[in-house]
Amino acid sequence: MIGQTVRLADAISIARILAVPIILGFVLWHPPSLFVPAAAIFLIAAISDLLDGYVARRSGKASTLGIYLDLVADKILTSCVLLVFVDLGILPTWPAALIITREFIVSGLRTVAAAEGLIIPAAAWGKHKTLVTNAAIFMLFLAFAGSELPANMSISSVTPVQIFAYFIMYIAVILTITSGLRYVYNARHVLFQMMKH
Ligand SMILES: O=P(O)(O)OC[C@H](O)CO
């Protein structure tokens, strides 16, 4: 039973990864008119992040594969959608670059910590960052659904919903940086250890 629950959690994470090409397909095929179906699939994928955590917790024990799949699925989903937003001019390069760089730094830290026998699981501040980032992405999808893309817009046609979506995205950037710094600070002994070798 525990094995089955863990496998269900893993299957949910794998489904989240498989949803990424479908979302990108909708977004790139006919932007921005297919943003609503893209947003709907993105929302289901983002909610599945909460679901796989719940399913894994019910088993009382997350598998190592489950921890890996959960983290990797989140990062693939977020990074790919941010890149496509940059491609379409919805997002400047720097917030996407900052978010993706932070993910590399924290993932790298997890790798060296694991080599030292230390597991760095997703902490509450990391989960909050993911929640806010996903909310911002979902709102950007809806804010630009059926509207002009930024390259064809005049400043006067920017809507309050679009301004609000960007506001949430910049909060997500701040949470991404602060949560990343917390991981680095909490694992400082791993970094000091690395410097000694
Ligand atoms: O901030 P991280 O790297 O711990 O990632 C958190 C996860 O996205 C939560 O599922």
Side-chain angles (χ1 to χ4, degrees):
M1 182 63 193
I2 285 182
Q4 272 174 358
T5 320
V6 169
R7 275 199 293 276
L8 176 62
D10 297 349
I12 294 171
S13 298
I14 292 169
R16 190 152 71 252
I17 296 172
L18 295 179
V20 173
I22 301 171
I23 296 168
L24 298 192
F26 274 121
V27 174
L28 291 172
W29 187 25
H30 215 273
S33 55
L34 293 179
F35 274 16
V36 171
I41 301 170
F42 180 83
L43 184 65
I44 295 167
I47 290 173
S48 82
D49 181 28
L50 307 175
L51 198 64
D52 60 9
Y54 170 75
V55 170
R57 271 194 306 280
R58 265 193 53 192
S59 74
K61 165 178 178 301
S63 69
T64 310
L65 177 66
I67 294 171
Y68 170 72
L69 284 175
D70 177 39
L71 288 168
V72 162
D74 285 352
K75 290 171 197 332
I76 293 174
L77 180 67
T78 309
S79 305
C80 287
V81 177
L82 290 179
L83 284 177
V84 101
F85 278 170
V86 171
D87 186 37
L88 296 175
I90 290 175
L91 202 64
T93 306
W94 69 265
L98 264 177
I99 291 174
I100 293 169
T101 301
R102 179 269 195 205
E103 301 302 8
F104 275 117
I105 291 173
V106 173
S107 299
L109 196 59
R110 285 195 165 106
T111 308
V112 283
E116 301 283 336
L118 177 75
I119 300 293
I120 305 180
W125 56 80
K127 289 180 197 289
H128 295 155
K129 168 271 300 177
T130 303
L131 195 69
V132 176
T133 309
N134 287 343
I137 289 174
F138 181 69
M139 275 189 260
L140 279 172
F141 270 134
L142 294 189
F144 283 96
S147 117
E148 293 289 340
L149 287 174
N152 308 319
M153 279 170 79
S154 66
I155 195 81
S156 58
S157 57
V158 175
T159 67
V161 179
Q162 288 166 347
I163 294 172
F164 184 66
Y166 282 119
F167 176 71
I168 302 297
M169 179 53 82
Y170 290 116
I171 302 236
V173 172
I174 293 169
L175 290 179
T176 299
I177 295 168
T178 51
S179 64
L181 290 174
R182 284 182 82 164
Y183 279 117
V184 172
Y185 180 74
N186 284 358
R188 59 194 180 283
H189 55 285
V190 175
L191 297 171
F192 291 141
Q193 203 60 34
M194 262 165 44
M195 286 173 202
K196 282 187 197 156
H197 291 305

